[in-house]
Amino acid sequence: MTETQARGWAYAAAAAGVIANALFIAFYASFAVQHLAEPRGVAAILGSAADYAGIPQNALLAVITSVVFRFLSRQRRPDQLLRTAGATAFATAAVEGVLTVTGLLPGVSAVAVGTVLASTAWLLAIGVRGARLPRPRRACVARTARLIATAILCSGVVALTGFAIGVAAVVWTGLIAGCLAWLSIPLWAFEMGRALASSRAVLPIPETATSAHRREA
């Protein structure tokens, strides 16, 4: 796969993520309007649509972790392990989404929580691993992944602390912050596409042209 093709996959993952996030936000907005009762009408439709939209999003993220990220790594053994781990985490999330929409798994399950934790750990790992890449934009992609993962993990700690001390406001603060961090993953995929777009190699000057220039000088 060429870098141009990889860029297309990254943009596709970003677009799928934006659509899934928009449906997710619309569902919870309509759910809140119904006073958090059993989803019905528009809320029920948006909920199903959000579940279905999450499947191609995670499938495309699995592709960019296994294919696209090799253009953003140093091509060493740890990077190969990270590519495999990331592809496995997001592919599992896609399968979990299929099982959820078919009713074989509940909306919130141990598998869903596990895939979120695995994906977050992967983002943190590539953020640490790729922060010193030689090209600034590519290093920025890695640092963005690290920031997203750190925000999700810190939000989880805040939410668990709220549960431990029995303060609902702290729990909701952690959950909302973590959710916003997770929803920013499509922006990371978009930045990955931009990093690939801006990394075109400069073609070397042909030897004949160089010799002619020297003769003219």
Side-chain angles (χ1 to χ4, degrees):
M1 177 179 288
T2 66
E3 192 160 325
T4 299
Q5 292 171 327
R7 182 170 71 245
W9 281 107
Y11 284 148
V18 169
I19 294 171
N21 289 350
L23 291 170
F24 178 81
I25 294 171
F27 164 68
Y28 275 97
S30 60
F31 189 39
V33 170
Q34 294 182 2
H35 305 289
L36 305 182
E38 183 69 23
R40 62 184 184 277
V42 175
I45 295 173
L46 289 172
S48 297
D51 289 337
Y52 279 103
I55 297 173
Q57 176 193 13
N58 287 317
L60 286 168
L61 286 172
V63 171
I64 68 172
T65 56
S66 61
V67 177
V68 178
F69 187 69
R70 70 186 179 87
F71 293 102
L72 301 169
S73 69
R74 296 191 177 106
Q75 296 297 306
R76 297 175 183 171
R77 184 174 179 81
D79 295 327
Q80 306 304 322
L81 295 176
L82 284 176
R83 284 173 54 197
T84 302
T88 302
F90 286 113
T92 303
V95 173
E96 183 268 333
V98 173
L99 295 177
T100 298
V101 299
T102 55
L104 297 177
L105 278 180
V108 179
S109 63
V111 176
V113 175
T115 55
V116 170
L117 291 176
S119 302
T120 302
W122 180 80
L123 285 170
L124 182 61
I126 66 169
V128 174
R129 178 70 178 163
R132 295 183 180 180
L133 286 170
R135 295 177 180 176
R137 189 179 290 276
R138 297 189 178 200
C140 182
V141 171
R143 287 193 294 268
T144 300
R146 183 175 60 188
L147 178 62
I148 292 172
T150 301
I152 293 173
L153 293 175
C154 290
S155 298
V157 172
V158 171
L160 291 175
T161 301
F163 277 117
I165 63 178
V167 180
V170 176
V171 174
W172 280 106
T173 298
L175 291 177
I176 292 173
C179 186
L180 291 175
W182 182 261
L183 292 177
S184 66
I185 290 179
L187 298 179
W188 167 75
F190 178 76
E191 286 300 316
M192 180 180 288
R194 289 186 61 196
L196 293 172
S198 64
S199 60
R200 296 172 183 172
V202 179
L203 295 176
I205 301 175
E207 182 64 28
T208 55
T210 303
S211 301
H213 177 74
R214 288 175 180 172
R215 286 196 299 269
E216 291 176 1

